[in-house]
Structure formats: structure tokens, C-alpha cells
Amino acid sequence: MKLPEDYIESMRQLLGEEELQNYLDCFDASRTYGLRVNTGKISVETFLKRTPFHLTPVPWVENGFYYDPEEGVTKHPDYYAGLYYIQEPSAMVPASRLPIEEGDRVLDLCAAPGGKSTELAARLRGTGLLVSNDISRSRAQGLLKNLELFGAGNILVTSETPESLLGNFEGFFDKILVDAPCSGEGMFRKDKDMVKSWMEHGPEYYAPIQQEILRTAVKMLRPGGLLLYSTCTFSPLENEENLKKLLEAEQELEIIPLSMGEWFREGLIPGTLRIWPQDIRGEGHFTALLRKKGQAPEHTQKDRRRTTVLPEGLSEFASLFQRPVLSQGRLDVRKENIYLLPEDFPEVKGLRFLRTGLSVGELKKKRFEPSQALAMYLKKGDFRQELDLSSGDERLIRYLKGETLEVSEEEADFSGWTLVLNDGYPLGFGKLNRGTLKNKYCTGWRLL
């Protein structure tokens, strides 16, 4: 790979002559491929017992694994059941180093395509609130799909500038992750197009943008809250220099040292973390954890009216639940669309949002149609009418392609809405009538 001379010189200044050569040599090595288990749906132990793939642990995260790109990991029904996410191994570090506790209010400020948000959602385990934002609406749509695939319901997905979010969320969040847009030096080996992008917009372009994002993010953090800053660049201007400016401007911030383990190096500021591709099987990253000094009061829930009478059509469908799914939050009925919001869902005004809470489904002329998101949110046993297809059943792939299925009476002695599962994990809905399952799997999600 041909690297710009000025880039090589900047790396020489950072690494020294001998280490520079080690870094340049690593470009001859093949890139690595990783997947991260969705622990919100399945334990790592259970996943390893069922997966057909040959996996090797990523040593710095408990639920990360290297996989062989020759194996069809994105064509397997477990992928469509949201049991894992495809993610570059070193990119698993930031979300894993932000301490998440159940009930936290969490913001992923630059969230698309969703690798970090899906991990944060899994660790919240259906509690608290996750606000996932990306300024690009098209990228935010992909982010939303990944969160729904993972079964996340306690979400607010927005497409806004940080400044617009601040108007609604000043001092609101317990934890914030800022994986900022950057010059991308750490991804040169993975994506050769990043070199061209760096030549067009280098560190001098991104550093002021990152600084503005950080300054705004701090204002949305509660006293005692934690902010994790990460980039996939090696540039000190975008990493340590940005931190120095932030710490000088925001005196209430302090660095919380991160563990290097045996894989990472300390950054130019003590306690920060640098990931070098010549050291590990992965690409380059920078990560730092900050705390806002002080102690925030306990969260208080506002007394909100909830919908007690289900709309006509939904009440019949709700009778098919084995547990009170729709009482785990408050229902928000907006024309034909129905959402389930977390109890402490904030009042939001003037924001462009793609999703508030869990999309339950639509009312169409008093008939209710459940959403794909609801199917992914449910667990085996939640629904009275389930069709659980075992691994190896050729109907699994046919279902994912949107085809109609034949079902015997021994498999399903009922009719109507049916939750289709992949060996115990939901894939989507169908409608069963006299042994024929009409496929209701989301068109845009289908296996091609």
C-alpha cells in the first residue's frame, strides 16, 4: 500500500524509526474479522455450543471472537435472530470499557452503524434508556435496524447535531460514548479508501469538529457521570491534544485510567489507551475515559398517564402474550402506530427521531399488525402461538427469504398470528391458516 510521505513522517515522529518499520510491515498481514455475541439474547457459553462456525476468542472482550471470512456468518439464521454482530475486533474496545449499569441513561452520540450501541443496549438488559444518535439520517436508519435486530426496546434513535440534543438533554445522561468522526488512520489496512480520505481531510480538519462534539457532550453529562472518547486514528492532534484542551476548558473533568492489559499501550496522556495494529490482531484505536466530578441525585420518575385500555385490535393480539409484555412501559398511540416507551422516557421536543421506544405495530382498519421489532424483542415462551424450527430445517432459510411455509398440525394446532423461531430464538411473525403459514417477515430484512 502506498502511504503519503507526510503521513509516514508523522508516524516516524510518533513511533521512532524501528517501531515505524514494524508498523509499516503490518500492512502486509491480512486484516482480521470479528463477531460479538449479543449477551442480551444469549450467553457466550450457550452460543458457542450451538454455533457451527470455527471461532477464536478476541482476548480483550469476553463476548468477541475472530471468524473465518470464508464461512457464511452473515447468511446463517442465527445472524438474522440477532445473536451476534459483525464488528472489527479492536472496535469492540470502546463500548466494553464504558461501565454500564442497569437503569443507566446512556447516550451514543455518533452511533451509526450501531456496533457500539448494540453492545450498550445488551448490557442495559432492557432497563434505563439508550439514546443513539447519528447526524446522517441514512446512516441512522441502519443504526435503527441493528438495534431492532438485537431486540432493544428501551431506545430513542435520533438524527441530530449534538447542539440540538443539548436542548433536550442538558445534564441528563449517566454515561456517554463519543466515537468521534476522525481521519481514520487506524483503518488504513482494513480500508484502503481511508488513505484517500485522509489526504482530503486530515487531522487538522477533524480536530475542531471533535472538540466541539466533546464540549457539547460534557454539558449533557450528569455530575458523577462517565464519558468515553474514542477515535480510530493515531493523530495526537485528534486524541491527546483534544483531551488536553477539553480538560483545560472543563475543570470538572478528570481522567479515569484504563487498563492496558497485555495487548494495548498507554497513550501520550497517562491512563489513556492506544491500540496499534502491529501489536494485536486488529486495527488501530484510541480510547480515554473521563468522569465529571460531583454526585448526581437519584433518578426520579415523573408521574405519567399510561394507556390502560388497549385499542381495538391490539387487545385481541395482546391476549396471545404469555407474560404482560405491554405493561413493561407505557403505550404511546400515534394515529395507526403504537409504541412501548420506557417508564422514564423523557419529553423530547423539536428533534428528528427515527424511533421512540419499541415499535409494537400498526392498527390497520381496527386490525393489528405486529412489527418486526416486536418479534425480535420477544423471547421464547412469551407468545402462546410459536413455531420453533430446529437447526437444519430447510424452512428456516425459506422463511428468511419471505416464502410461504407448510406446517403440520402436530407442529402447530392453532391459527392466526404465529411467532417463528430459529431453534429457540425469534425471527419474525407469520399468519397460520389450515397448515399454511403466510410469511410476515419484514421485506427489507429478507435473505437474498
Side-chain angles (χ1 to χ4, degrees):
M1 178 188 296
K2 179 67 174 177
L3 296 172
E5 287 299 326
D6 53 344
Y7 171 73
I8 294 176
E9 182 56 34
S10 69
M11 296 302 288
R12 180 180 285 110
Q13 297 297 320
L14 191 59
L15 290 169
E17 196 65 45
E18 181 178 350
E19 189 61 31
L20 172 66
Q21 192 57 51
N22 292 335
Y23 170 68
L24 296 176
D25 288 345
C26 85
F27 281 85
D28 295 327
S30 300
R31 58 164 291 194
T32 56
Y33 298 82
L35 65 80
R36 196 193 69 250
V37 177
N38 178 5
T39 55
K41 281 183 178 279
I42 189 171
S43 70
V44 171
E45 180 182 13
T46 302
F47 175 77
L48 292 177
K49 288 178 179 177
R50 70 181 274 141
T51 187
F53 304 121
H54 300 88
L55 305 177
T56 305
V58 173
W60 47 86
V61 289
E62 294 180 353
N63 58 334
F65 295 89
Y66 298 100
Y67 70 88
D68 183 346
E70 296 299 318
E71 297 188 293
V73 297
T74 60
K75 300 294 185 181
H76 194 275
D78 280 359
Y79 177 73
Y80 288 83
L83 300 191
Y84 54 87
Y85 184 93
I86 304 303
Q87 189 172 34
E88 194 280 314
S90 66
M92 299 177 188
V93 170
S96 72
R97 288 342 188 236
L98 181 60
I100 299 295
E101 299 176 7
E102 293 186 18
D104 276 345
R105 297 168 174 174
V106 183
L107 169 65
D108 188 356
L109 189 52
C110 311
K116 298 170 180 66
S117 273
T118 49
E119 173 65 7
L120 299 174
R123 289 163 61 201
L124 282 171
R125 298 192 175 280
T127 69
L129 175 68
L130 173 63
V131 178
S132 295
N133 178 76
D134 199 274
I135 194 171
S136 165
R137 188 171 182 85
S138 61
R139 284 169 53 83
Q141 288 171 340
L143 162 67
L144 172 59
K145 177 185 174 181
N146 283 323
L147 283 168
E148 290 182 333
L149 184 65
F150 256 49
N154 55 325
I155 58 173
L156 170 63
V157 179
T158 58
S159 179
E160 280 292 355
T161 64
E163 292 79 8
S164 296
L165 290 177
L166 178 60
N168 280 273
F169 296 114
E170 186 168 358
F172 182 83
F173 294 104
D174 302 293
K175 313 286 166 61
I176 297 178
L177 194 152
V178 177
D179 185 41
C182 68
S183 60
E185 298 172 354
M187 295 293 125
F188 281 2
R189 181 175 65 174
K190 175 185 173 184
D191 184 357
K192 294 178 175 57
D193 288 340
M194 292 300 297
V195 178
K196 181 180 178 180
S197 177
W198 182 89
M199 295 174 69
E200 295 175 352
H201 294 298
E204 291 78 10
Y205 173 84
Y206 283 102
I209 297 173
Q210 295 154 350
Q211 186 63 211
E212 185 61 34
I213 291 173
L214 284 169
R215 293 285 293 274
T216 306
V218 169
K219 293 181 174 66
M220 290 187 274
L221 191 64
R222 289 159 59 91
L226 297 173
L227 184 152
L228 189 135
Y229 176 60
S230 68
T231 70
C232 57
T233 184
F234 303 124
S235 165
L237 184 64
E238 298 177 75
N239 296 331
E240 289 91 351
E241 290 302 317
N242 263 338
L243 280 187
K244 288 179 182 178
K245 291 179 181 178
L246 184 66
L247 291 167
E248 289 172 1
E250 309 289 347
Q251 296 291 317
E252 73 272 33
L253 294 178
E254 59 183 351
I255 291 178
I256 303 298
L258 291 169
S259 171
M260 305 299 116
E262 58 186 278
W263 320 283
F264 311 132
R265 305 188 196 187
E266 191 167 55
L268 304 179
I269 295 178
T272 62
L273 180 154
R274 276 180 173 265
I275 304 175
W276 292 95
Q278 67 268 33
D279 294 342
I280 61 159
R281 292 180 62 199
E283 308 306 324
H285 264 79
F286 171 84
T287 303
L289 183 62
L290 305 171
R291 178 182 179 274
K292 181 182 272 191
K293 299 173 186 176
Q295 186 67 42
E298 293 292 323
H299 294 313
T300 57
Q301 290 191 355
K302 296 180 180 179
D303 182 22
R304 304 180 192 272
R305 291 187 304 168
R306 68 163 66 196
T307 302
T308 54
V309 179
L310 298 181
E312 186 178 350
L314 177 57
S315 57
E316 180 180 353
F317 180 84
S319 69
L320 296 173
F321 289 129
Q322 297 271 40
R323 65 181 176 93
V325 173
L326 299 183
S327 65
Q328 295 182 321
R330 55 188 180 89
L331 283 181
D332 182 20
V333 181
R334 275 177 265 151
K335 296 183 179 179
E336 69 273 14
N337 297 303
I338 302 175
Y339 303 91
L340 183 66
L341 307 183
E343 288 287 2
D344 198 25
F345 197 85
E347 296 288 351
V348 289
K349 298 179 181 179
L351 295 181
R352 294 180 299 170
F353 53 81
L354 285 76
R355 179 70 75 246
T356 53
L358 172 70
S359 171
V360 177
E362 293 181 78
L363 288 168
K364 297 182 176 181
K365 297 181 179 179
K366 297 183 180 180
R367 291 184 299 104
F368 177 74
E369 291 212 0
S371 71
Q372 180 66 36
L374 177 63
M376 305 309 295
Y377 177 77
L378 298 175
K379 294 179 172 57
K380 180 179 173 64
D382 284 349
F383 206 67
R384 297 184 189 279
Q385 301 186 168
E386 296 182 343
L387 175 64
D388 196 356
L389 302 177
S390 61
S391 177
D393 191 322
E394 54 88 20
R395 289 176 298 175
L396 276 175
I397 299 300
R398 289 178 54 208
Y399 175 77
L400 292 172
K401 289 183 176 181
E403 297 177 15
T404 298
L405 305 183
E406 296 303 314
V407 180
S408 69
E409 188 174 342
E410 289 74 21
E411 292 175 302
D413 60 353
F414 50 78
S415 62
W417 286 108
T418 304
L419 182 65
V420 181
L421 297 95
N422 158 37
D423 216 358
Y425 294 89
L427 290 173
F429 285 107
K431 210 161 188 181
L432 186 61
N433 182 34
R434 296 181 180 180
T436 300
L437 185 83
K438 185 177 181 181
N439 201 312
K440 295 291 185 177
Y441 188 63
C442 181
T443 304
W445 290 30
R446 291 178 180 175
L447 176 63
L448 300 177

